Amino acid sequence: MAAVVPQRECDEERLRALGKRLLDQECAFAKRYRCLFALMNVKPSELTRQPLLACLQDQKHGALLRHEVAYVLGQMQDEAEEVVGELIRVVGDETDDVMVRHEAAEALGAIGSETGVSVLRQHLKDDTREVAETCELALHRIEDAAASRDGDVPEHEGSQFNTVDPTLVSEGVSGKTREELERLALDETASMHDRYEAIFAARNRGGEEAVSLMSKCLETAKSALLKHEVAFVLGQLQNAQATEVLVRVLKDPAEHPMVRHEAAEALGSVAESDDQVMGLLREYCKDEVQCVGQSCVVALDMLETKENFEYCEALA
């Protein structure tokens, strides 16, 4: 998943072209992916909203792209009624892919609309663990954001990565020592919210210690949701020392697809453009799990154009 960059101006003709390419199944997947994030970096409007919702609504576009669409809608914090309504529908559709439902729930938390609270509460005990845990996080985020706005709690630490994170970091957690953050992040008895908060507090500090903590989480955590978020965070940190653990996760067929997919995309951000990593990604582009294979395609695109990669040049 990509980070948010400051929203840019974009003329209507270009927006229509981006939307058309996003929905074009004959177009190379990496180009469609670029179009998606180019749309994210533009101020929300009907011209951005229509293709994004069309992609999310139609399962023919595949779980990976659709879940990225849900992520983008959350990052844009688009409060339009049709956006919130579609995200609510996806969360409630127990026949849909777990990755898409999870990301729709997370997007509701990022947007912060009270309209989504009811469906999030309904699915706190969802049969799919990843969805239930995400609903818990989303509800907590909505409550935390409201409390901050009302001045009921101290200001939360902001993201240094231009992202709308699934969990806000409180002053209390941001002030913990490295050892305390590690214990909390690895504590299987702690709430998912508290473990996420520790992970993002460590990420905000960065450095080798953060990479070490994330690697331990990937190796020991039982929650696929937590592990997929840790892989995403490693991508944000862009530290090549994370390459080994991410490769290990990608190559593990027993790992949850949402974790393997996130590890593959993270490699596009952290790995050096060497023959070994590039060869591995090319091999796994043919993975039998579609979202993993497509994520390797995306990672290769990022590595092959690392020096001049730009989402908003998606039509070039």
Side-chain angles (χ1 to χ4, degrees):
M1 295 178 190
V4 176
V5 300
Q7 291 175 338
R8 309 180 182 190
E9 295 297 325
C10 192
D11 62 64
E12 292 187 3
E13 181 179 357
R14 184 175 179 80
L15 282 177
R16 289 192 177 92
L18 288 168
K20 182 178 180 181
R21 179 173 284 186
L22 171 66
L23 298 171
D24 183 1
Q25 291 185 282
E26 299 301 316
C27 181
F29 187 81
K31 290 184 178 181
R32 298 177 70 194
Y33 188 93
R34 286 199 188 202
C35 289
L36 170 59
F37 286 94
L39 289 169
M40 181 182 76
N41 295 328
V42 178
K43 184 178 179 180
S45 69
E46 283 304 307
L47 289 176
T48 61
R49 199 172 293 133
Q50 289 173 359
L52 292 173
L53 290 178
C55 187
L56 183 57
Q57 289 164 352
D58 195 335
Q59 294 193 20
K60 72 181 180 184
H61 295 293
L64 181 66
L65 196 62
R66 292 177 61 238
H67 113 286
E68 295 285 19
V69 166
Y71 171 78
V72 162
L73 290 170
Q75 293 298 297
M76 296 173 80
Q77 295 186 298
D78 189 346
E79 298 182 15
E81 183 178 347
E82 58 265 44
V83 170
V84 175
E86 179 59 18
L87 292 170
I88 288 173
R89 184 196 68 77
V90 172
V91 173
D93 184 358
E94 297 183 2
T95 67
D96 207 338
D97 188 276
V98 58
M99 282 176 47
V100 185
R101 295 183 65 216
H102 133 72
E103 206 65 59
E106 187 172 298
L108 288 173
I111 293 169
S113 171
E114 289 294 324
T115 309
V117 168
S118 177
V119 72
L120 292 172
R121 285 179 178 154
Q122 288 172 21
H123 290 277
L124 282 172
K125 297 187 182 298
D126 195 272
D127 288 342
T128 305
R129 176 179 177 178
E130 294 78 19
V131 174
E133 290 175 339
T134 307
C135 289
E136 173 196 336
L137 291 169
L139 283 168
H140 214 304
R141 192 188 195 287
I142 292 171
E143 292 167 0
D144 284 349
S148 291
R149 287 193 303 269
D150 296 341
D152 295 337
V153 297
E155 193 69 27
H156 287 85
E157 181 179 10
S159 170
Q160 301 172 26
F161 294 84
N162 293 322
T163 47
V164 184
D165 296 327
T167 301
L168 299 173
V169 179
S170 65
E171 289 184 353
V173 173
S174 65
K176 288 183 179 294
T177 66
R178 178 188 66 82
E179 292 79 10
E180 288 173 331
L181 290 178
E182 181 172 307
R183 281 197 297 272
L184 181 54
L186 299 176
D187 185 356
E188 292 290 342
T189 67
S191 71
M192 190 56 56
H193 169 269
D194 290 351
R195 298 178 75 184
Y196 258 57
E197 195 173 2
I199 286 166
F200 283 106
R203 177 208 63 180
N204 290 347
R205 295 183 192 178
E208 294 180 8
E209 291 181 349
V211 174
S212 174
L213 170 57
M214 304 307 158
S215 298
K216 289 178 182 178
C217 282
L218 279 178
E219 292 165 349
T220 65
K222 297 178 180 179
S223 167
L225 183 74
L226 183 75
K227 292 168 75 173
H228 110 287
E229 196 67 36
V230 164
F232 172 69
V233 165
L234 284 172
Q236 288 185 308
L237 290 171
Q238 296 185 325
N239 188 319
Q241 290 187 342
T243 301
E244 184 179 344
V245 69
L246 291 170
V247 165
R248 217 162 40 239
V249 171
L250 171 60
K251 293 171 70 174
D252 184 358
E255 186 57 84
H256 195 293
M258 69 189 294
V259 184
R260 294 182 66 215
H261 120 74
E262 206 67 69
E265 287 197 15
L267 282 169
S269 297
V270 310
E272 302 296 335
S273 301
D274 59 67
D275 291 341
Q276 185 174 1
V277 173
M278 302 283 274
L280 178 72
L281 288 169
R282 289 192 183 98
E283 176 187 349
Y284 278 89
C285 282
K286 302 173 184 177
D287 196 273
E288 61 182 17
V289 180
Q290 185 185 53
C291 69
V292 174
Q294 289 176 332
S295 294
C296 291
V297 169
V298 170
L300 274 172
D301 183 47
M302 296 177 74
L303 287 171
E304 289 169 350
T305 58
K306 199 162 191 174
E307 297 304 316
N308 58 0
F309 188 86
E310 177 56 74
Y311 284 112
C312 284
E313 295 303 318
L315 294 181

